[in-house]
Amino acid sequence: RQKVEQVLGAFLATHAAAAEPLLLGLVHLVRPFTAFDSSQDAFHCFSTFMSLLGPWRTAEGLRQHMGTVLLLLSRTLPDLHAHLDEETVHANQWLLEWLALLLSKQLPLEDVLRLWDMYLAEEDGLALHTYVCLALLQQHRERLLD
């Protein structure tokens, strides 16, 4: 916990404006970086990671990604899309957090590390996140429909 506080404190001191759209979720985004031995290394890697997020950090970027996921959901899993509409489960209740926090709150740390490693290994690896979200919905489709 102390390392999380140190890294977030340093990040907010130097990047307050950039962190604002994700302020409440920063604790979850920094969690994978606590594996580093030193707080300085964790801060450096976290700061670099946040700069790589680019449009994912903006409200407009998140709206665009939400629209893409919802469009693909309606085309690939139309029954689930219709069910979520019928039950008035709005995307802001789940999808916004999935996108903004890159599933760091929803998945175990080991899975987050593997997923983010894949995102960072490719030049436009974050584009895969849309499909990861759809894959999770597909995987849990039956339970969601019940």
Side-chain angles (χ1 to χ4, degrees):
R1 179 176 180 205
Q2 182 181 7
K3 193 179 293 184
V4 169
E5 290 174 357
Q6 289 173 342
V7 172
L8 283 180
F11 182 78
L12 290 173
T14 57
H15 300 84
E20 191 173 326
L22 302 175
L23 198 54
L24 296 176
L26 285 178
V27 169
H28 300 288
L29 285 172
V30 80
R31 182 175 60 122
F33 298 94
T34 60
F36 289 96
D37 289 332
S38 78
S39 295
Q40 292 83 5
D41 290 342
F43 167 74
H44 174 72
C45 291
F46 179 68
S47 296
T48 301
F49 179 74
M50 291 298 288
S51 68
L52 292 174
L53 290 182
W56 284 89
R57 292 186 351 204
T58 66
E60 180 58 32
L62 288 170
R63 273 194 295 276
Q64 288 177 355
H65 291 293
M66 281 181 67
T68 300
V69 171
L70 293 173
L71 176 65
L72 291 171
L73 176 62
S74 70
R75 300 237 171 110
T76 60
L77 300 167
D79 56 340
L80 181 57
H81 185 265
H83 179 71
L84 293 173
D85 278 348
E86 288 170 15
E87 297 294 324
T88 62
V89 178
H90 301 286
N92 285 344
Q93 295 172 308
W94 57 277
L95 183 56
L96 181 61
E97 195 172 79
W98 285 20
L99 294 172
L101 302 181
L102 298 172
L103 297 168
S104 61
K105 182 178 178 182
Q106 292 74 20
L107 297 177
L109 181 58
E110 185 176 307
D111 294 341
V112 170
L113 291 173
R114 284 189 186 132
L115 188 62
W116 288 11
D117 186 52
M118 181 180 68
Y119 294 164
L120 295 173
E122 298 294 325
E123 187 172 328
D124 194 20
L126 281 172
L128 296 171
H129 190 67
T130 297
Y131 302 99
V132 169
C133 292
L134 288 169
L136 284 172
L137 291 168
Q138 172 66 41
Q139 181 180 9
H140 297 285
R141 182 179 160 272
E142 293 302 321
R143 277 193 292 170
L144 292 168
L145 289 171
D146 285 340

